Amino acid sequence: MRKIIILTALSLLSVIGYSQGHYNGSSFNPNDYFAPHEGIIIPVWYGYADMNYYNAKGNKSDQLINPAPGNPTSLQIEQKVQTHSFIAMAIYGGKGKILNANWGMMIIPTLNSPTANIALDYYSIQTGSGRYDFTNKSIGFGDMYIQPIWLSWKQGNFQYALNYGVWAPTGKYKPNDLDNGGHGYWSHNIRVALKYKPSAKVNLSIAPTLELNQWQKDTDFKEGTHLTLDFGGSYLLNSRGDEVGLFGHYTKQISDDKGTQGGFVSDQTAGVGGFVSYWIVPHKIGLMARVTQNFATENRFGGIAFQTGINFLIPTKKATDKKPI
C-alpha cells in the first residue's frame, strides 16, 4: 500500500475550546504527533464547543471560587459558553532527513469567538461580587501556534517523535476586556510521542505534552504548568486510506499559578472522542470530522466539542517517486 502523506487532522480547533492555558488534550488524532511525509497540507476547519464551568469538586456550578488577593471569594457566572472557531493551517513535510529523522513544520493562525478559557480569565479577574454574564458574540484573531521542531524516527513497528511548538499571543488581549481573542502570554509545548503498529491496519500511540507559560501581558499573573497525556488508536478501512479512530487524554496542572491576579486553584480535565476521515480525491483532498467529550473536569470549563474540515494535500514528489511505507 502506498501513501504520499498522512491525512492530518491536527484539529487544534479543540485547543480553542475548553481549558486554562493554550494546549488541550485530544487536539491531535493518534497519528498526528509524527512528522508527515514530503508535501504541503492546507487544512481548513470549523469547530463548535458547548462548555460549562465545573468547580474544584468536579461539579457543574454557577459559583466561581476565586481566592486571588483583592478579588471576591465567589462570583455568580453565566454557566454556558458556546464558541465557534475557524482555522486555516499550513503544514510542511520536509525533504531528506534531520538527525536521521523525518521532519516537518506547521503554523496555525486562529479566528474564533471568545473561548471558554478566555471566559474563565474574564470571570477570574472581576473585582466585585455579583453576577457576570459572558455574552460576547464577536469573532476575532486568536493566538497563533507555531511548531518549528517536528521530528520522528521509525524502527520496525515502532515510531518515535519529538515536537516543540509555541503559542504566540497574536490575539487581542487587554485585562478585564470582554472582547479578548487571546490570552496575552506565550506558551511553550514540549512533546514526545510513541507509536506502535501491531498490524498493517492498526496504529496505537501515546504522547505526553508539557506546557510552560510565561507572564501575562499587563497583569501580575503567570499560569501554572500543565502536563497532558494523550493516547489513542486508529484503524485503516481500505487501500484508499480512509480511517476511523478513538482517542483520549488527561490533563493536570502540576505547578501553582504565580502573581496576584487570576484563579489560584489547580485544575484538571480528561476527555474521550473519535474521528473519521474520508478521501474525496485519494491523497489529494480529504474530509475529516471529530467529536470530543470531557469528564473529570475541575476548576475549568468542560463539555463537548465538534470539528469538521477539509484537507488539501500538495505532494512535493512526482508520482513516479512515491515510496511505500
Side-chain angles (χ1 to χ4, degrees):
M1 180 178 61
R2 299 185 175 208
K3 235 180 179 184
I4 300 173
I5 197 165
I6 299 171
L7 179 59
T8 308
L10 291 174
S11 59
L12 289 170
L13 294 167
S14 59
V15 168
I16 44 183
Y18 46 88
S19 172
Q20 294 170 305
H22 280 99
Y23 179 69
N24 263 4
S26 298
S27 294
F28 296 85
N29 283 343
N31 294 323
D32 294 335
Y33 307 106
F34 306 89
H37 294 269
E38 294 180 20
I40 298 170
I41 314 172
I42 305 296
V44 181
W45 285 80
Y46 163 75
Y48 169 79
D50 189 349
M51 301 291 139
N52 291 287
Y53 177 72
Y54 291 81
N55 62 23
K57 295 182 179 180
N59 299 321
K60 187 165 67 174
S61 175
D62 292 328
Q63 293 285 330
L64 177 65
I65 305 301
N66 181 25
N71 286 2
T73 58
S74 180
L75 298 174
Q76 286 282 336
I77 68 175
E78 175 65 28
Q79 179 55 246
K80 183 176 290 187
V81 175
Q82 297 176 338
T83 69
H84 302 271
S85 307
F86 302 89
I87 293 179
M89 313 179 201
I91 300 167
Y92 177 69
K95 296 181 179 181
K97 302 280 188 178
I98 295 179
L99 300 177
N100 202 33
N102 292 328
W103 64 280
M105 296 183 293
M106 81 169 83
I107 184 169
I108 306 177
T110 61
L111 184 69
N112 55 267
S113 59
T115 65
N117 24 357
I118 291 173
L120 191 56
D121 288 343
Y122 172 76
Y123 288 132
S124 64
I125 59 177
Q126 300 305 319
T127 56
S129 19
R131 184 169 186 87
Y132 291 80
D133 296 337
F134 192 85
T135 57
N136 185 14
K137 303 298 182 183
S138 65
I139 296 283
F141 286 104
D143 293 341
M144 179 183 296
Y145 182 70
I146 304 166
Q147 187 167 292
I149 299 176
W150 194 1
L151 303 173
S152 59
W153 296 263
K154 187 175 181 181
Q155 184 176 11
N157 293 333
F158 291 90
Q159 197 167 355
Y160 313 90
L162 172 65
N163 306 336
Y164 166 76
V166 61
W167 284 93
T170 54
K172 175 182 177 294
Y173 179 79
K174 183 179 179 181
N176 204 24
D177 195 331
L178 187 61
D179 293 325
N180 286 334
H183 295 298
Y185 57 82
W186 295 79
S187 294
H188 304 272
N189 288 176
I190 303 169
R191 178 183 301 110
V192 294
L194 169 66
K195 180 166 68 175
Y196 173 60
K197 194 176 184 68
S199 70
K201 292 188 174 184
V202 176
N203 290 288
L204 304 173
S205 69
I206 186 168
T209 299
L210 186 69
E211 180 173 77
L212 305 169
N213 302 300
Q214 295 185 208
W215 289 92
Q216 191 172 53
K217 176 184 176 183
D218 297 330
T219 70
D220 181 22
F221 175 69
K222 183 179 181 181
E223 176 71 31
T225 298
H226 287 80
L227 178 64
T228 298
L229 181 65
D230 290 293
F231 49 87
S234 64
Y235 180 79
L236 195 64
L237 294 172
N238 49 47
S239 59
R240 289 165 42 89
D242 302 330
E243 197 172 29
V244 297
L246 299 173
F247 50 78
H249 76 274
Y250 175 71
T251 298
K252 179 72 175 179
Q253 183 175 340
I254 60 173
S255 73
D256 294 336
D257 300 334
K258 295 182 179 180
T260 59
Q261 298 186 26
F264 287 82
V265 180
S266 294
D267 58 86
Q268 70 169 39
T269 192
V272 293
F275 77 94
V276 58
S277 69
Y278 173 75
W279 291 96
I280 302 174
V281 179
H283 309 306
K284 292 184 179 180
I285 302 175
L287 295 177
M288 183 80 72
R290 329 171 77 241
V291 60
T292 308
Q293 174 66 58
N294 287 117
F295 62 94
T297 301
E298 297 179 5
N299 191 40
R300 62 164 65 191
F301 280 84
I304 192 167
F306 300 93
Q307 299 93 35
T308 185
I310 185 167
N311 298 328
F312 301 94
L313 278 64
I314 307 170
T316 55
K317 281 188 174 184
K318 297 180 180 179
T320 55
D321 294 333
K322 298 177 194 173
K323 295 181 179 180
I325 64 170

